[in-house]
Amino acid sequence: MRGTGKGKRPREPYRAVGAWVEGQPGAELRRKSAHAESMFRRTGITFAVYGAHEAAERLIPFDIIPRVISAAEWRRLAAGIEQRVRALNAFMYDIYHRQEILRAGRVPADLVIQNAAFVPEMMGAEPPRGIYSHIMGIDIVRTSENDFFVLEDNTRTPSGVSYMLENRETMMHMCPDLFGLNRVAPVERYPEDLRATLESVAPTNLDREPTIVVLTPGLHNSAYFEHSFLADRMGVELVEGQDLVVTGGRLMMKTTQGLQQVDVVYRRIDDDYLDPLVFNPDSVLGVPGLFDLYRAGRVTIVNAPGAGIADDKSIYSYVPEIIEFYTGRPPILKNVHTYNCRNPDDLAYVLENMADLVVKETHGSGGYGMLVGPTSTRAQVEAFRGKVKATPERYIAQPTLALSTCPVLTDEGLSPRHVDLRPFVLLGDKMRLTPGGLTRVALKKGSLVVNSSQGGGTKDTWVLEE
Amino acid sequence: MLGRTANDLFWMARYIERAENIARLLEVGHRLTLLPHEGGEAEWRSTLRSAGCEPGYFNRHETIATSQVCNYLLLDRDNPSSVYSCLSTARRNARAQRTAITRDMWEALNAAWIEFPTIAAARIEANALPDLFDWIRDRSALFRGALLNTILRNDTFYFTQLGTFLERADNTARILDTKYYVLLPENELVGGGVDSAQWAAILRSVSAHRSFRWVYRDAFKPWHIADFLILNPQMPRSLRSCYAEISAALAGLEHSYGGPTPCHARAEETLGRLVANDMNGILQTGLHDFLGGVITGNNLLASDIAAAYHFNG
């Protein structure tokens, strides 16, 4: 394949894709790419950009060259993901109960207890099957053939799974011949898996099939397309807070035939907005009384309130400890070395080496509130240095990794761009991991930021079967 | 189904139907201005009245001019019944209920919404309004075809049917009421070329100037036109056909939900009057009064349906 790096050959899993690309007539790939974009727009796979005009709906750029992962590589990743997901759930059960890990001094107690993502109201609550984060997206980067690092564990409401599914649909539509040349593991089971996972954590002692809903903040949320997509694919109602009411100790939705009981809420709104009686009193997105019902085991909220504590950026650096503590084994997937600016030694190092580091706000997300040292101007670095000095506990820093690249189609032909990978994992009666995930790609040459809000795009991600 | 979902589906269907009806009305109005002897201003006035847009238009414009009327009914964002507003509202309702509608329906509607501003600007620029009217009708047909071919025959279908046929009944009644005086029998005597053009225009505005001939065979007689649009069960835009569909949709809901609701009685009563009546009876009551009664009945039925099925929670 052309353009995959200076004189480098594409790795083995790409052999068939490379040959296929070579065989395409010049303008054909560009034509397919344009067609794919118009398909996305017609389907309405758009996201809203906060701060932009209210009606703004944008497409996430889609790159037509798939990313390929071999079966052996995937097996290793899958084992590492399962270990991590189970350990993080054990961690959450522990910190909302006996807090053994804090007593053992393996994670600093104040880091958990004083964390904004820690929800004290969850102390002693018993979520079905003891699971807090049923739906996770683990962000992984690769730095060499055999080195995978976890960048972030998204344990609250990870998004992007609809892009994974639609990217595959689009690729199968645009390039059917390419699928004939490879044995690509299907991803289309995800909605069924999600539904099975949600059913498996319904309140116990139901004498009927559980009624599931997806709770969305509404049309103007940036991920609204995904909310409706998932509800549709699972065949469940997509509701807003205004469609739900707590009455007679039950959660009800307002239907054309009156009130109907709801058992499982897959919520896509933040903890703060879930229930104005317990959390943010100004919230109109949530349902008054929902949290009490949840604590009483009358309804299941997925992911559980307080699940954000496990993906807090300041907790992240302790995840290897957490894995060892609950599983007794070393982590399979590595963590990126992280400097916690709350520690004076780390802070000194970060201030000294800021231009070489990635500095992140612990509570930021979506690529906002971060500094990528090597690609920033001196003035930007200085401005950030001031912020870190003022409130060091709010920042962490990591070395910039030599992220792997994948070929993408550009105006000048194929060209390498940095990528990450977000596999989607479900935990209920068992773990369900979809082979592949969402590959995000930094479309700007040399950029390391893959977030869609910062000019990132996506690709179809293939796990090859043997 | 959520009450909010039923509400959105009902209005999505109404607004698509309305966009199509506005395009038909404009097509006829535009055509009449091309004929000799026609008072363009009076025609546009009755077009605005049939569209229910007369007061809104005069809030904005003092005089009647073809380009202003077309702009107001096609593109004006402040006119809730302009084709642009209809498509936007329908699309917003559809987007809020992506889970309830099929991909085919969504794509037909979303594509129409995306393309309309560009197409409209280009056709107006090229002085090709008839092309634009065709385009709007095509999009509506595409949406309706997608709906009929892909939607589950459950409450989703019934609520869209209710929206479509209540809007259509309203439209047909308004067109007739705006022009009722040219349909009165005494006009046959005075009716020269002018009225004959008016009769043809009424039929065109419901795409029925050819089918009329197949049903009645003789030259346009005003009461035949009224009969065709009010009572004829073969004519798909007649009040009787609309109410037969409304009644069938309510029966479908009754069947799926197990039990009638108060709005059924009102729809049945209107349908009963349309089935039992003939034109003589209607003309004796007074055509204008009869149509006024139908229009009021449509509004009452719409609010009964909204209450019976918890449209607002």
Side-chain angles (χ1 to χ4, degrees):
Chain A
M1 202 175 326
R2 293 152 297 190
T4 44
K6 294 187 191 74
K8 285 187 196 163
R9 301 297 306 161
R11 294 181 310 107
E12 175 59 21
Y14 279 91
R15 206 162 38 84
V17 173
W20 179 86
V21 169
E22 298 273 359
Q24 296 296 306
E28 184 61 10
L29 282 177
R30 204 74 55 71
R31 193 191 62 76
K32 282 182 191 288
S33 185
H35 186 192
E37 187 171 311
S38 76
M39 281 175 66
F40 280 115
R41 196 166 287 283
R42 274 181 89 100
T43 319
I45 309 177
T46 54
F47 72 104
V49 182
Y50 293 125
H53 183 258
E54 194 197 4
E57 291 171 29
R58 278 198 219 161
L59 286 181
I60 295 188
F62 171 71
D63 181 67
I64 198 164
I65 312 293
R67 189 228 193 123
V68 189
I69 298 169
S70 74
E73 289 167 342
W74 182 249
R75 269 196 302 277
R76 203 165 135 252
L77 276 175
I81 291 166
E82 172 147 24
Q83 181 195 44
R84 202 161 171 109
V85 162
R86 293 206 182 271
L88 287 173
N89 271 287
F91 168 68
M92 285 187 272
Y93 189 87
D94 185 25
I95 61 162
Y96 287 121
H97 290 83
R98 293 179 47 80
Q99 303 188 331
E100 311 255 3
I101 198 168
L102 306 185
R103 294 184 210 195
R106 302 284 287 273
V107 174
D110 65 320
L111 197 61
V112 172
I113 307 299
Q114 288 168 24
N115 200 304
F118 178 75
V119 176
E121 292 83 354
M122 282 295 289
M123 285 303 293
E126 295 294 338
R129 296 181 191 272
I131 301 170
Y132 290 77
S133 192
H134 317 71
I135 300 164
M136 298 175 94
I138 311 289
D139 288 349
I140 293 175
V141 293
R142 179 175 207 164
T143 54
S144 71
E145 182 118 19
N146 293 310
D147 286 315
F148 290 96
F149 286 88
V150 173
L151 272 187
E152 250 174 62
D153 305 284
N154 295 284
T155 61
R156 306 166 200 224
T157 49
S159 61
V161 77
S162 56
Y163 295 99
M164 170 183 84
L165 294 165
E166 287 293 330
N167 285 353
R168 177 63 52 84
E169 284 297 311
T170 304
M171 281 305 285
M172 292 180 81
H173 189 96
M174 305 294 308
C175 313
D177 45 335
L178 196 43
F179 286 82
L181 302 171
N182 294 277
R183 291 167 53 85
V184 183
V187 296
E188 66 199 24
R189 278 188 55 86
Y190 183 85
E192 280 166 64
D193 285 350
L194 177 57
R195 185 169 178 149
T197 300
L198 294 172
E199 280 175 354
S200 76
V201 294
T204 41
N205 305 326
L206 278 188
D207 53 359
R208 55 191 162 78
E209 268 200 19
T211 300
I212 298 167
V213 298
V214 176
L215 175 60
T216 174
L219 215 54
H220 300 296
N221 184 268
S222 66
Y224 178 75
F225 167 75
E226 178 154 305
H227 307 161
S228 70
F229 177 93
L230 290 174
D232 188 33
R233 293 299 168 89
M234 288 193 287
V236 306
E237 295 291 351
L238 176 67
V239 305
E240 296 177 16
Q242 56 167 319
D243 301 314
L244 297 176
V245 61
V246 172
T247 174
R250 296 184 297 173
L251 178 64
M252 310 295 273
M253 64 175 160
K254 302 171 187 172
T255 76
T256 50
Q257 299 173 80
L259 299 179
Q260 185 193 334
Q261 189 170 357
V262 173
D263 308 301
V264 181
V265 178
Y266 175 21
R267 49 90 174 222
R268 295 293 298 253
I269 66 178
D270 293 343
D271 286 355
D272 260 2
Y273 298 99
L274 271 179
D275 182 347
L277 300 185
V278 182
F279 305 111
N280 182 349
D282 300 327
S283 169
V284 290
L285 301 176
V287 190
L290 176 60
F291 188 74
D292 275 356
L293 280 192
Y294 173 71
R295 286 235 28 169
R298 306 294 295 271
V299 63
T300 306
I301 300 175
V302 172
N303 291 342
I309 188 65
D311 71 10
D312 184 80
K313 288 191 179 72
S314 60
I315 299 289
Y316 165 86
S317 56
Y318 294 93
V319 173
E321 288 279 348
I322 288 170
I323 292 173
E324 293 221 39
F325 188 80
Y326 297 105
T327 70
R329 292 172 187 282
I332 298 172
L333 295 175
K334 295 179 202 166
N335 249 36
V336 182
H337 184 82
T338 302
Y339 302 93
N340 265 326
C341 297
R342 66 203 303 274
N343 304 331
D345 291 351
D346 283 4
L347 176 62
Y349 179 87
V350 170
L351 293 175
E352 189 70 19
N353 297 283
M354 196 163 256
D356 302 323
L357 297 168
V358 178
V359 189
K360 298 176 181 173
E361 242 179 292
T362 51
H363 301 305
S365 68
Y368 293 102
M370 70 187 274
L371 173 87
V372 182
T375 59
S376 299
T377 64
R378 179 173 277 229
Q380 285 169 325
V381 172
E382 284 315 310
F384 225 81
R385 193 193 306 276
K387 291 205 249 178
V388 174
K389 266 187 186 160
T391 49
E393 68 282 359
R394 291 179 55 189
Y395 292 90
I396 57 149
Q398 294 168 336
T400 51
L401 301 177
L403 292 194
S404 66
T405 60
C406 277
V408 305
L409 184 66
T410 68
D411 290 343
E412 289 85 40
L414 294 184
S415 174
R417 292 288 186 274
H418 295 296
V419 291
D420 79 351
L421 174 67
R422 176 178 289 182
F424 294 99
V425 56
L426 298 166
L427 191 60
D429 49 344
K430 58 179 182 178
M431 189 187 86
R432 295 172 171 90
L433 175 62
T434 307
L438 181 68
T439 291
R440 298 185 298 174
V441 46
L443 290 174
K444 269 183 250 163
K445 197 170 184 178
S447 168
L448 294 169
V449 187
V450 296
N451 302 73
S452 53
S453 47
Q454 311 281 316
T458 69
K459 287 169 163 292
D460 192 13
T461 308
W462 292 4
V463 171
L464 299 183
E465 291 184 340
E466 277 163 338
Chain B
M1 176 186 287
L2 294 176
R4 186 166 56 82
T5 302
N7 183 54
D8 285 347
L9 291 172
F10 177 83
W11 284 102
M12 172 191 72
R14 276 199 89 145
Y15 274 105
I16 291 286
E17 179 70 20
R18 187 172 299 175
E20 178 181 341
N21 291 336
I22 297 282
R24 282 178 201 283
L25 285 170
L26 274 171
E27 187 172 15
V28 173
H30 184 254
R31 191 185 158 85
L32 284 174
T33 61
L34 304 180
L35 298 179
H37 315 301
E38 286 304 318
E41 188 162 321
E43 276 317 317
W44 282 130
R45 191 180 286 274
S46 73
T47 300
L48 287 165
R49 196 173 300 151
S50 296
C53 292
E54 197 182 11
Y57 178 86
F58 285 108
N59 278 339
R60 201 163 177 83
H61 302 287
E62 288 183 352
T63 56
I64 287 193
T66 297
S67 65
Q68 278 174 10
V69 174
C70 287
N71 188 65
Y72 187 73
L73 290 179
L74 286 169
L75 297 168
D76 198 318
R77 292 178 189 215
D78 296 330
N79 172 10
S81 291
S82 73
V83 172
Y84 175 84
S85 298
C86 287
L87 291 177
S88 297
T89 310
R91 192 228 181 217
R92 191 164 56 244
N93 288 327
R95 187 159 176 262
Q97 303 303 336
R98 276 293 295 273
T99 53
I101 64 173
T102 64
R103 186 167 180 146
D104 292 15
M105 288 163 70
W106 165 255
E107 289 188 4
L109 178 47
N110 193 38
W113 178 80
I114 291 170
E115 291 163 21
F116 177 69
T118 325
I119 300 260
R123 299 289 195 279
I124 290 169
E125 171 78 26
N127 232 336
L129 279 173
D131 269 3
L132 179 58
F133 303 141
D134 286 349
W135 184 88
I136 296 165
R137 276 194 285 119
D138 287 352
R139 297 301 113 173
S140 164
L142 189 62
F143 175 78
R144 187 106 189 108
L147 186 152
L148 291 173
N149 284 337
T150 59
I151 203 169
L152 288 177
R153 283 344 188 232
N154 58 13
D155 41 4
T156 319
F157 176 64
Y158 301 132
F159 285 115
T160 57
Q161 288 287 90
L162 287 174
T164 301
F165 287 101
L166 258 174
E167 181 68 24
R168 190 176 292 180
D170 210 45
N171 181 61
T172 300
R174 277 176 200 285
I175 289 174
L176 284 169
D177 196 36
T178 305
K179 301 253 182 198
Y180 79 95
Y181 53 89
V182 297
L183 294 170
L184 298 175
E186 54 265 34
N187 262 350
E188 199 194 1
L189 303 173
V190 295
V194 173
D195 279 346
S196 156
Q198 292 285 355
W199 298 334
I202 292 171
L203 288 171
R204 270 181 200 281
S205 64
V206 290
S207 282
H209 56 295
R210 294 187 54 212
S211 57
F212 177 83
R213 304 269 190 203
W214 287 96
V215 177
Y216 295 91
R217 301 271 170 187
D218 48 7
F220 295 149
K221 291 222 169 73
W223 59 89
H224 281 169
I225 295 174
D227 181 68
F228 194 44
L229 265 57
I230 296 172
L231 299 175
N232 195 303
Q234 297 174 30
M235 160 60 189
R237 308 188 83 85
S238 73
L239 296 179
R240 170 152 174 201
S241 290
C242 292
Y243 265 85
E245 296 285 359
I246 289 167
S247 180
L250 288 171
L253 283 175
E254 186 174 320
H255 183 72
S256 353
Y257 290 171
T261 42
C263 53
H264 293 211
R266 188 186 296 281
E268 287 300 325
E269 189 210 316
T270 308
L271 180 61
R273 267 193 289 144
L274 292 166
V275 172
N277 234 323
D278 60 21
M279 273 320 288
N280 277 334
I282 290 175
L283 291 170
Q284 266 164 26
T285 326
L287 183 57
H288 181 56
D289 288 347
F290 178 84
L291 292 168
V294 171
I295 292 168
T296 312
N298 287 341
N299 291 337
L300 290 172
L301 180 57
S303 45
D304 281 0
I305 290 171
Y309 296 106
H310 309 281
F311 276 15
N312 300 307

